[in-house]
Amino acid sequence: MRTTWNGSLSFGLVSIPVGLAPATKPAARQSDVSFRLLHRECSTPIKQKRWCPTHDREVTQDEIVRGFEVAKGQFVIVEDADLEAIERSDDSRSIEITRFVPAGDVDPIYFDRTYFLVPAATTAQRRPYVLLLEAMQQTGMAALGRFVRAGRESLCLVRAKGDALALETLFLAEDVYSQAEIAEAVEGTAVKKPELDLARQVIESLAADFDPAELQSAYRRDLRALLEAKLRGEEIVAPEPAVEAPVIDLMEALKASVAAAKRRGREDEPAAPSKRRSRAARS
């Protein structure tokens, strides 16, 4: 597996050689089809220019500086040297574990990007990796830590993922919105027991094991089909506008959902052998 960073994972006096490999593809946060902006008249790709409206001219890269807007139209200029001065100069190339926490206590809302921690090549160097992995699996714990990459510090969570260690870079607490407003809104809302019973029936009827292979994008599939159709010169027909669902009573909606789930369950069941076929089998 190709790694983008190599160093060690350390806690206490233990140091484990590891590499950092992205767990998702570069296009994971967008469609696998990218578009260029073209001039409709001649299909020429459009070039973006850096334009100064005050001097009414295009500016070059060496004329551009960073600015932080403190008020409308007022900026603090930040030079490259200013940023370099506060960058961490840590060259230890180590992921420092600060504490272990129950893995279930860390809400996934704090997860930013996922990486695999790749063990070293030799068997002797892999033993501490496997030791930590199995210990975390048995205890259900995950490791909070931090590391420096390209001069920038990242907070992270190391967790067991199957037979591998995964590293999640974390958002800061101040980067995540509070859900207090939602909690306050639902606090005074009560549901009736019959409604709750029906809702549980709907959930149970749709319950199944998680299968990553089912994570398919209908949009990506349709986009590829659209591009292939356009290449063949076919006319694209716009779909019919969606019809808004009528507003119905909550209990009626739950009952209808349960009935529909039961019908799907009967359709998925294998057909029972006929009486004639059963008699023939016995004879």
Side-chain angles (χ1 to χ4, degrees):
M1 182 175 289
R2 183 179 180 182
T3 58
T4 57
W5 180 94
N6 290 282
S8 63
L9 178 67
S10 62
F11 62 100
L13 299 178
V14 180
S15 182
I16 307 173
V18 292
L20 208 60
T24 53
K25 297 178 181 179
R29 298 194 176 194
Q30 60 186 14
S31 168
D32 58 348
V33 176
S34 60
F35 295 100
R36 295 283 302 276
L37 297 179
L38 311 178
H39 184 193
R40 181 182 293 275
E41 183 177 342
C42 60
S43 297
T44 302
I46 299 300
K47 293 184 177 180
Q48 303 290 343
K49 291 186 176 182
R50 298 179 175 90
W51 193 265
C52 175
T54 299
H55 291 86
D56 194 27
R57 66 177 178 83
E58 186 178 1
V59 295
T60 59
Q61 181 63 40
D62 58 0
E63 296 179 274
I64 297 175
V65 294
R66 298 179 181 88
F68 176 75
E69 190 169 17
V70 294
K72 185 67 174 179
Q74 296 181 3
F75 298 89
V76 172
I77 302 300
V78 180
E79 303 287 352
D80 290 344
D82 298 327
L83 296 177
E84 292 171 0
I86 64 170
E87 286 183 351
R88 303 294 297 270
S89 58
D90 186 352
D91 59 355
S92 62
R93 302 189 71 80
S94 175
I95 302 169
E96 298 286 346
I97 299 303
T98 56
R99 69 182 61 187
F100 289 88
V101 298
D105 286 359
V106 185
D107 195 294
I109 197 171
Y110 291 98
F111 294 174
D112 180 19
R113 289 184 180 272
T114 305
Y115 297 85
F116 288 123
L117 288 177
V118 182
T122 66
T123 303
Q125 290 177 318
R126 288 181 177 179
R127 286 187 65 251
Y129 181 101
V130 176
L131 177 64
L132 178 61
L133 171 62
E134 293 188 1
M136 293 174 70
Q137 289 173 332
Q138 293 180 14
T139 59
M141 303 293 277
L144 285 173
R146 61 184 65 217
F147 67 104
V148 176
R149 181 175 51 170
R152 296 188 178 184
E153 184 181 54
S154 294
L155 304 182
C156 63
L157 179 84
V158 177
R159 62 184 179 91
K161 184 183 183 303
D163 292 330
L165 289 174
L167 180 144
E168 307 279 355
T169 56
L170 301 177
F171 290 114
L172 302 180
E174 63 187 39
D175 296 333
V176 178
Y177 286 116
S178 170
Q179 63 189 50
E181 184 178 344
I182 300 174
E184 183 180 352
V186 302
E187 183 179 7
T189 304
V191 296
K192 300 176 182 178
K193 186 178 184 303
E195 296 173 340
L196 186 57
D197 291 340
L198 284 171
R200 290 179 60 180
Q201 288 185 47
V202 175
I203 292 174
E204 291 169 0
S205 67
L206 297 174
D209 294 331
F210 173 68
D211 182 5
E214 294 179 354
L215 299 179
Q216 303 289 335
S217 171
Y219 174 77
R220 288 192 182 187
R221 178 201 63 207
D222 296 342
L223 182 57
R224 294 190 194 104
L226 180 145
L227 294 174
E228 291 171 0
K230 278 187 165 291
L231 284 172
R232 294 191 298 267
E234 299 178 6
E235 182 180 356
I236 306 302
V237 180
E240 294 292 332
V243 179
E244 292 187 6
V247 178
I248 59 176
D249 180 77
L250 177 59
M251 282 293 291
E252 294 300 321
L254 289 170
K255 290 177 181 178
S257 299
V258 172
K262 289 181 178 179
R263 286 196 301 270
R264 285 196 300 270
R266 288 194 296 267
E267 292 172 357
D268 293 339
E269 291 178 357
S274 64
K275 294 181 179 179
R276 181 180 300 177
R277 187 180 304 170
S278 299
R279 287 196 297 268
R282 286 197 297 270
S283 62

